[in-house]
């Protein structure tokens, strides 16, 4: 059978981003997720949007196909070497590097760790030891490295905030993470790939950290005591079985939808003399004046960042680098997602008693003998064990 | 957005959109900026060297970045014929697949592990790692419980854990009328009469609360599902709870029950004449219908679907994927047999030891 190790998504081959997809939606999603105060489609632009990521593949007529392939393999080997030299194994094995600085302690109500970038693969059903069924989302953790740390004091000078859109000045409030300056921004790059896929500007972002260019850049709000320096490796065991996480991802893009689908409006009667009024909005409530900003109207539905909060990690698979997260997360399969320690208060309080590896998982945290292939939550029933219900 | 005329395509260009003339450019709708601003895919610039628009009437079709600048050589007619022969669809394919594909996996594997096939959904929703996890977990569950081979039309006895039952186990006997979904989501529905009441229970095949699945009669029907029994006389699905299991051999082909069921007079739960059921007595069925409905039913049953290539493509598992799944399952099936042998040996050992210690 073909080896499955090639499925580890390092994007040496092509790994497509999420494409525009038209999926018939169901009307059973909750209204609470859509009741947001005035939000605009361009609010959810992936950052950095001021840097062009992709460019046309250069067709070099001077090169023969063999030389072109050889150069591609040479580039990919350099990327692999860069990835291997900055990995956890290299950091643990190298005797020349200085020992890491004293690791910060977990401070209650202060510490917020960095998160991980994941790729949602699909859904696997499992059962608890009491016979209850639970659906788990399978998320793969690709190769990722820390790119940059922006301390809270420098948030105002950060590029994306400097290139603010004019409508932000009209808004009466700014987000709290910007005004309070409690947390800084941790940039994380994921999925290293061939530099020829990207523009020089995009590759330059990674050059300062000494890393190969990557397909995905994410940013996390992290407290200064849990900050990581460029080049640090983020691994699968950053989260443990039993930790509750928040998963932030772009929802499935349902395309241009009308008001009945998008905002669950009533529409009009199907019969009884209704003339051309079956699925329309009806009145726009102008009262003679202009239509107010944020009026619910037809438009592109989905493709917005949404968070699924406080989902426990039920199982960890070290062979394929998978996290099995309880419940369902936004987004279609093979889409990126951000996974971080949950912001819910009860989860934060529970972490004070059982602090996670700070600032991230290092090789010295590994248990003796290493991790088994599958680590299960104690409440979860592995499939090769029979169910034993108490009388 | 202003779309400028791109330069003439090079010889190695993969797409032939522009060679068809400029009318396709003017026929394409201009895309709004905000659609692409929110997506990670950047719109191609006007000075794009590679043709990025695919010819289509509706426009707005952007070629994927990994396909731009890629030269796909034209396939020879022999290669195309081989492709169609192995694909399993189209008029050139033969039902008996190539020997190199079939010889490796014995046919009993395909009968035992029907749910190992990947689901028939769009390629975007399928993932090889998740499918391999489903298969691995299926085989792990089969180390705990024996799941026999059964088809729609077979009679099964299922025991599930029930804390309110006297023996903590609830046993139900019924005719399998439906079997759906794939992998760990597989479910099957049993139907029977209990105290003159029709009962249908849907079980999850890999649920750990199932204590045992016993096959009482191995049989197949002419249809994939027997939902029409809901509108049939109750005699067709009355199975005694103390039915004795009938022996069967794995090497023999599955016996087919070709009985044709006479439905009750309408109203029915569903328009059974429009689904192509072979297990219904059609003459008797049509006697209840008007001429218009009969004509509609006859037109539906016409054999034009074998020429509908897209229908065949969308409603079949790709042959390479099916072969890979069955090969993977075959390897794990052999490991399962070894595991069962080891368990038998160890249980025999423990029996002998307990006898010796008992006598001693």
């Amino acid at each position: 059978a073909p080896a499955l190790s090639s499925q580890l998504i390092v994007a040496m081959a092509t790994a497509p981003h999420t494409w525009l997809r038209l999926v018939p939606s169901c009307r059973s999603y909750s209204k609470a997720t859509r009741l947001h105060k005035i939000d605009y489609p361009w609010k959810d632009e992936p950052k950095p949007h001021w840097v062009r990521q992709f460019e046309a593949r250069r067709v070099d007529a001077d090169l023969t196909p063999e030389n072109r392939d050889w150069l591609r393999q040479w580039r990919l080997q350099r990327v692999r070497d860069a990835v291997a030299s900055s990995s956890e194994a290299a950091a643990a094995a190298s005797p020349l590097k200085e020992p890491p600085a004293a690791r910060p302690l977990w401070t209650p109500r202060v510490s917020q760790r960095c998160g991980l970038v994941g790729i949602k693969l699909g859904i696997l059903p499992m059962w608890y030891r009491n016979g209850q069924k639970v659906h788990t989302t399978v998320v793969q953790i690709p190769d990722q490295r820390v790119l940059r740390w922006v301390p809270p004091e420098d948030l105002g000078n950060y590029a994306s905030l400097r290139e603010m859109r004019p409508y932000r000045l009209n808004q009466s409030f700014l987000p709290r993470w910007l005004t309070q300056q409690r947390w800084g921004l941790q940039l994380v790059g994921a999925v290293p790939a061939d530099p020829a896929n990207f523009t020089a500007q995009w590759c330059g972002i990674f050059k300062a950290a000494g890393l190969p260019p990557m397909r995905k850049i994410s940013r996390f709000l992290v407290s200064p005591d849990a900050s990581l320096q460029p080049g640090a490796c983020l691994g699968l065991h950053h989260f443990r079985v039993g930790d509750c996480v928040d998963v932030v991802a772009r929802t499935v893009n349902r395309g241009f939808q009308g008001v009945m689908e998008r905002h669950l409006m009533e529409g009009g009667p199907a019969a009884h003399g209704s003339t051309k009024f079956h699925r329309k909005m009806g009145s726009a409530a102008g009262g003679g004046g202009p239509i107010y900003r944020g009026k619910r109207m037809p438009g592109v539905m989905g493709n917005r960042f949404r968070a699924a909060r406080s989902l426990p990690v039920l199982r960890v698979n070290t062979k394929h680098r998978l996290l099995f997260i309880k419940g369902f997360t936004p987004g279609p399969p093979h889409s990126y997602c951000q996974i971080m320690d949950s912001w819910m208060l009860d989860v934060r309080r529970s972490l004070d008693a059982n602090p996670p590896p700070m600032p991230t998982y290092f090789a010295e945290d590994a248990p003796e003998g290493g991790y088994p292939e599958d680590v299960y939550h104690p409440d979860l029933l592995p499939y090769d064990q029979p169910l034993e219900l108490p009388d | 957005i202003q779309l400028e005329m791109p330069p003439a395509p090079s010889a190695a260009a993969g797409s032939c959109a522009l060679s068809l003339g400029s009318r396709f450019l003017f026929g394409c709708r201009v895309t709004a900026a905000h659609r692409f601003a929110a997506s990670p895919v950047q719109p191609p610039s006007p000075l794009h060297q590679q043709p990025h628009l695919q010819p289509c009437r509706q426009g707005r079709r952007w070629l994927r970045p990994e396909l731009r600048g890629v030269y796909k050589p034209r396939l020879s007619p022999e290669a195309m014929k081989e492709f169609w022969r192995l694909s399993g669809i189209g008029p050139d394919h033969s039902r008996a697949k190539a020997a190199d594909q079939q010889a490796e996996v014995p046919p009993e594997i395909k009968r035992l592990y029907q749910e190992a096939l990947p689901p028939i959904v769009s390629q975007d929703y399928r993932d090889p790692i998740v499918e391999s996890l489903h298969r691995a977990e299926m085989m792990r569950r089969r180390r705990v419980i024996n799941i026999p081979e059964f088809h729609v039309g077979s009679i099964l006895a299922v025991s599930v854990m029930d804390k309110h039952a006297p023996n903590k186990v609830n046993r139900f006997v019924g005719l399998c009328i439906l079997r759906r979904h794939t992998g760990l989501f597989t479910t099957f529905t049993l139907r029977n009469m209990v105290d003159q009441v029709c009962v249908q229970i849907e079980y999850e095949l890999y649920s750990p609360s199932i204590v045992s699945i016993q096959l009482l009669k191995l049989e197949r029907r002419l249809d994939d599902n027997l939902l029409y029994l809901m509108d049939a006389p109750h005699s067709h699905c009355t199975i005694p709870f103390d039915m004795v299991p009938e022996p069967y051999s794995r090497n023999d082909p599955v016996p087919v029950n070709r009985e044709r069921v006479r439905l009750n007079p309408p109203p029915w739960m569903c328009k059974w004449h429009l689904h192509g059921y072979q297990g219904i007595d059609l003459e008797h069925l049509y006697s209840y219908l008007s001429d218009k409905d009969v004509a509609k039913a006859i037109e539906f049953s016409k054999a034009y679907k074998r020429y509908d290539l897209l229908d065949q493509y969308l409603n079949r598992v790709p042959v390479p994927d099916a072969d890979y799944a069955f090969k993977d399952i075959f390897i794990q099936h052999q490991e399962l047999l070894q595991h069962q042998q080891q368990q038998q040996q160890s249980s025999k050992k423990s029996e002998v030891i307990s006898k010796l210690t008992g006598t001693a």
Side-chain angles (χ1 to χ4, degrees):
Chain A
L4 286 173
S5 60
S6 61
Q7 299 303 327
L8 188 67
I9 298 175
V10 187
M12 294 305 180
T14 52
H17 281 249
T18 50
W19 303 110
L20 196 71
R21 53 191 87 238
L22 296 170
V23 173
S25 71
C26 60
R27 294 167 70 95
S28 59
Y29 51 87
S30 73
K31 219 165 180 177
T33 59
R34 296 170 300 108
L35 288 172
H36 282 264
K37 221 180 166 173
I38 299 167
D39 65 351
Y40 303 89
W42 48 88
K43 181 176 104 162
D44 296 314
E45 276 179 12
K47 294 160 186 69
H49 56 79
W50 58 94
V51 178
R52 193 181 186 74
Q53 183 177 2
F54 295 110
E55 66 175 0
R57 196 186 290 256
R58 282 175 241 103
V59 180
D60 216 329
D62 294 338
L63 288 175
T64 58
E66 293 85 14
N67 287 345
R68 207 184 309 140
D69 290 337
W70 187 91
L71 277 173
R72 182 161 186 267
Q73 292 304 320
W74 177 79
R75 281 198 304 271
L76 294 180
Q77 193 54 46
R78 279 175 65 98
V79 171
R80 285 191 202 104
D81 293 341
V83 166
S85 63
S86 59
S87 68
E88 292 168 7
S94 170
L96 299 173
K97 291 213 168 110
E98 292 170 4
R103 292 173 68 175
L105 289 172
W106 175 267
T107 316
R109 300 185 62 177
V110 167
S111 298
Q112 178 65 35
R113 296 192 303 163
C114 189
L116 293 183
V117 174
I119 297 173
K120 174 178 170 174
L121 295 186
I123 293 165
L124 198 91
M126 298 209 77
W127 271 266
Y128 284 128
R129 291 194 184 272
N130 62 2
Q132 197 183 358
K133 190 177 182 186
V134 58
H135 289 103
T136 54
T137 306
V138 182
V139 177
Q140 190 175 48
I141 306 297
D143 272 334
Q144 53 203 263
R145 304 282 185 269
V146 171
L147 261 187
R148 198 189 299 173
W149 163 249
V150 180
E153 343 22 288
D154 295 347
L155 282 177
N157 293 334
Y158 189 57
S160 68
L161 300 166
R162 252 191 289 143
E163 295 192 16
M164 218 181 287
R165 301 275 169 119
Y167 55 80
R168 289 230 187 267
L169 301 173
N170 292 338
Q171 285 176 350
S172 57
F173 64 92
L174 288 170
R176 279 180 211 173
W177 58 268
L178 183 57
T179 53
Q180 287 180 0
Q181 298 197 345
R182 229 160 37 116
W183 291 338
L185 284 177
Q186 187 88 72
L187 293 190
V188 172
V191 191
D194 187 354
N197 295 340
F198 310 112
T199 58
Q201 208 183 357
W202 183 266
C203 295
I205 297 171
F206 302 86
K207 212 172 169 183
L211 293 168
M214 306 198 190
R215 286 188 168 262
K216 174 73 178 168
I217 296 178
S218 282
R219 53 186 200 181
F220 297 93
L221 291 168
V222 175
S223 57
D225 63 334
S227 64
L228 292 161
Q229 292 311 308
C233 185
L234 291 166
L236 175 70
H237 301 290
H238 184 80
F239 296 113
R240 308 160 297 178
V241 161
D243 285 350
C244 285
V245 297
D246 292 345
V247 180
V248 180
R250 291 196 100 97
T251 52
V252 169
N253 191 328
R254 307 186 190 272
F256 197 99
Q257 295 292 342
V259 288
M260 283 183 79
E261 191 76 20
R262 199 180 183 211
H263 301 298
L264 289 181
M265 289 188 188
E266 294 292 322
H272 295 296
S274 169
T275 316
K276 302 199 296 186
F277 184 69
H278 307 292
R279 298 188 68 85
K280 282 183 177 175
M281 191 172 72
S283 163
I291 298 170
Y292 61 85
R293 187 167 214 154
K295 175 79 192 71
R296 289 165 180 264
M297 285 189 178
V300 173
M301 180 178 164
N303 201 31
R304 303 286 192 90
F305 279 117
R306 289 292 180 262
R309 301 280 181 193
S310 190
L311 305 174
V313 174
L314 292 178
R315 182 177 157 189
V316 172
N317 181 296
T318 44
K319 185 181 166 194
H320 298 295
R321 293 173 66 117
L322 304 174
L323 288 180
F324 290 69
I325 299 170
K326 178 194 172 191
F328 304 100
T329 61
H334 308 120
S335 62
Y336 291 114
C337 55
Q338 288 187 4
I339 309 164
M340 55 196 181
D341 289 330
S342 186
W343 286 1
M344 306 296 271
L345 286 173
D346 57 346
V347 175
R348 284 197 194 165
R349 283 180 202 136
S350 67
L351 280 179
D352 297 341
N354 184 17
M358 275 282 283
T360 184
Y361 168 82
F362 292 113
E364 63 204 25
D365 297 331
E368 287 173 9
Y371 284 103
E373 187 186 326
D374 271 306
V375 184
Y376 290 88
H377 192 275
D379 290 343
L380 209 62
L381 181 76
Y383 275 94
D384 49 8
Q385 286 179 24
L387 180 65
E388 281 150 26
L389 290 177
D391 295 331
Chain B
I1 289 180
Q2 300 281 328
L3 281 177
E4 295 175 32
M5 286 288 290
S10 57
S15 169
C16 56
L18 298 169
S19 59
L20 296 166
S22 60
R23 57 193 168 93
F24 279 103
L25 281 177
F26 293 119
C28 292
R29 259 178 272 161
V30 166
T31 57
H34 75 271
R35 288 290 295 278
F36 285 94
S39 76
V41 176
Q42 296 291 328
S45 65
L47 300 174
H48 202 92
Q49 285 184 9
Q50 297 297 324
H52 49 267
L53 287 166
Q54 290 174 321
C56 62
R57 290 205 186 95
Q58 281 73 33
R60 216 181 285 176
R61 295 288 179 92
W62 305 103
L63 200 59
R64 287 179 165 199
E66 61 260 24
L67 294 174
R68 290 176 204 163
V70 172
Y71 173 60
K72 303 263 183 215
R74 197 182 270 273
L75 285 172
S76 63
E78 292 81 27
M80 278 302 296
K81 214 169 178 182
E82 186 66 15
F83 166 77
W84 281 110
R85 192 181 70 83
L86 296 173
S87 68
I89 59 174
D92 282 339
H93 95 279
S94 56
R95 293 218 168 261
K97 296 289 182 296
D100 56 344
Q101 283 190 348
Q102 276 186 326
E104 301 211 27
V105 173
E108 64 168 15
I109 299 294
K110 298 191 180 180
R111 279 166 54 168
L112 261 176
Y113 302 106
Q114 301 160 41
E115 64 270 10
L117 281 174
I120 300 170
V121 288
S122 163
Q123 207 70 11
D124 297 334
Y125 295 93
R126 285 189 46 202
D127 185 70
I129 296 179
V130 170
E131 284 165 19
S132 69
L133 283 174
H134 274 260
R135 289 193 292 267
E137 303 288 24
M138 277 157 55
M139 300 310 287
R140 277 191 203 152
R141 175 67 187 158
R142 283 171 184 258
R143 294 188 175 204
V144 178
I145 184 179
N146 176 47
I147 297 175
E149 173 204 352
F150 66 97
H151 303 261
V152 167
S154 309
I155 297 172
L156 296 170
V158 174
S159 304
V160 295
M161 285 188 200
D162 187 0
K163 57 185 177 182
H164 302 299
N167 293 333
K168 307 291 181 191
V169 161
N170 189 346
R171 185 171 179 267
F172 185 75
V173 171
L175 175 75
C176 179
I177 60 166
L178 187 61
R179 191 180 167 152
R180 54 182 183 165
H181 302 139
T182 60
L184 294 167
F185 294 108
T186 312
T187 58
F188 63 100
T189 311
L190 300 182
R191 183 183 169 86
N192 204 346
M193 293 284 294
V194 177
D195 293 341
Q196 293 153 23
V197 172
C198 304
V199 175
Q200 273 180 209
I201 305 181
E202 186 172 18
Y203 296 99
E204 286 166 320
L205 193 57
Y206 292 97
S207 166
S209 55
I210 291 181
V211 173
S212 74
I213 303 173
Q214 192 189 12
L215 181 69
L216 301 177
K217 188 175 182 184
L218 180 65
E219 208 174 53
R220 222 164 40 102
R221 294 284 188 107
L222 296 169
D223 303 310
D224 288 336
N225 63 70
L226 303 175
L227 292 168
Y228 53 80
L229 292 179
M230 292 195 284
D231 283 324
H234 296 160
S235 57
H236 285 105
C237 51
T238 308
I239 295 133
F241 268 67
D242 53 0
M243 180 175 170
V244 171
E246 293 179 14
Y248 68 97
S249 168
R250 269 194 190 165
N251 300 324
D252 295 340
V254 180
V256 182
N257 186 351
R258 294 185 183 273
E259 73 161 312
R260 289 180 170 261
V261 169
R262 288 198 160 187
L263 297 187
N264 294 333
W268 296 316
M269 285 189 187
C270 175
K271 296 179 185 176
W272 303 116
H273 55 285
L274 291 180
H275 294 270
Y277 283 111
Q278 300 298 313
I280 305 178
D281 190 344
L282 290 174
E283 278 184 38
H284 180 80
L285 182 74
Y286 293 163
S287 67
Y288 289 127
L289 300 174
S290 63
D291 290 340
K292 203 165 99 176
D293 290 334
V294 170
K296 215 172 167 185
I298 288 168
E299 199 191 314
F300 182 88
S301 67
K302 274 182 187 164
Y304 67 89
K305 282 209 165 176
R306 67 194 178 100
Y307 298 106
D308 189 351
L309 295 180
L310 199 64
D311 180 68
Q312 291 178 37
Y313 174 72
L314 290 173
N315 295 323
R316 279 182 202 219
V317 179
V319 169
D321 296 355
D323 285 342
Y324 178 77
F326 281 128
K327 280 175 192 167
D328 189 20
I329 281 277
F330 181 47
I331 294 164
Q332 295 185 56
H333 172 76
Q334 288 166 329
E335 287 169 13
L336 173 65
L337 292 176
Q338 281 176 9
H339 175 82
Q340 283 172 350
Q341 278 175 3
Q342 283 169 6
Q343 272 199 324
Q344 279 176 0
Q345 284 170 2
S346 65
S347 69
K348 278 180 191 167
K349 262 189 195 172
S350 63
E351 272 178 38
V352 168
I353 287 166
S354 66
K355 277 184 187 169
L356 288 173
T357 50
T359 51

